[in-house]
Amino acid sequence: MNKTFTKSQVKKQVRAISSKSEAHRYLICAALADSPTEIICTDTNADIDATASCLCALGADIKRTENGFLVTPISDLRSNQVLDCNESGSTLRFMLPLAASLGADCSFNMRGRLASRPLSPLYEILRDNGVALTPQGENPLTIQGKFGAGNYTVAANISSQYISGLLFALSVANGKSTLALEGKIESAPYIEMTVDALQAFGAKIDFDSKANCFTVEGQKKLHSPEKLTVGGDWSNAAFFLAAGAIGKNEVTVSGISEKSRQGDREIVAILEKMGAHTKHGDNEITVYPSSLHGIEIDASQIPDLVPILATVASVANGQTKICNAGRLRLKESDRIESVCATLAALGADIIATDDGMIINGKKYLRGGTVDSYNDHRIAMSAAIASLVSTEGVTITRFEAINKSYPTFAENFK
């Protein structure tokens, strides 16, 4: 599907959609609990639906309600099922160690670029500790065996999703485990979100910050809090907060908490550092059209913000350098190359580096036709770029937004 944005404006008031990251975690914990859980989650998307589908394949009953989900946990585990992860990396990396911990011999079906995205060192940890797996890259990926409690070490600078997946698995393993994190921890807020979710369901997890090590007391079932609410999604709110800074009218995004664990709440501080004028309200942020300037951005903890920050930087005065974003090469697209190619095609002055990009800002972009690379964040960033493009922007394969934000286009006038 092609989508064209010309003379675009954004609605002045946008409600943040439900956090995809929180929804994944709450659904998984609820499926492992001792009784049903009501999850207030007003929005869903392809990634959230993939996690729900995989949990149902293992024996949970998840019903979509008017306000979210009603999750009846797994009672009789189903084995030899096919778990369809669609294109969701979070779903695969969370569910793979969890299914192994439950002893559910099963297969994981992957779509898009997901099968080619690496699983090491998670793959080797499972392989070396009781789980037989078909080779990486095969689709579907099949596992047999059981992953149990023990003492494990995992690199902390590759993917926080591996760490989260192991924490889910060890929380329902039979016995006490340790999980040591080796090296610099990247995307730490996502790990904290996982711990918060598990602890909300009674999991027994402690973290020794000096040793960089988790201790997890496995238990057969987690304990349901009966009802909880998914917060607003900062990662997706970032697109409209950025639109307020570079567009022609202020934008207020409601339904987002500055107390959230989500690391992408950093978008506000970064925009302010670039010169954006903002107003902080009660669970809402307003960003006003502003004269922006380039800065240096360390993206190690906020990789998902890079596409929209690069778009903002393309029309900020001076130079912006984005670094420590090497993991973006392993996303739905090689996001370093696809961000640079997309913005360059629209008229930006941008070049890729090994772990990021350098952008020299202009007053405006030319616009044109670009591909989404089947990557939701590229599609949405290109749409926001239409606010500062003289010729408008046409995006091919715009349906990529369904992965995280199906209603994105509705927030454009």
Side-chain angles (χ1 to χ4, degrees), residues 92-93 113-121 123 136 158 162 330:
L92 175 62
R93 291 164 176 171
R113 198 168 178 246
L114 184 56
S116 63
R117 293 168 66 180
L119 282 171
S120 296
Y123 183 95
Q136 287 198 64
I158 298 177
Y162 299 159
L330 305 175

Side-chain angles (χ1 to χ4, degrees), residues 70 287 344 383 405:
L70 179 62
V287 182
Y405 201 162

Side-chain angles (χ1 to χ4, degrees), residues 276-288:
H277 299 292
T278 65
K279 182 174 73 174
H280 297 240
D282 184 15
N283 287 334
E284 67 177 32
I285 300 288
T286 301
V287 182
Y288 299 90

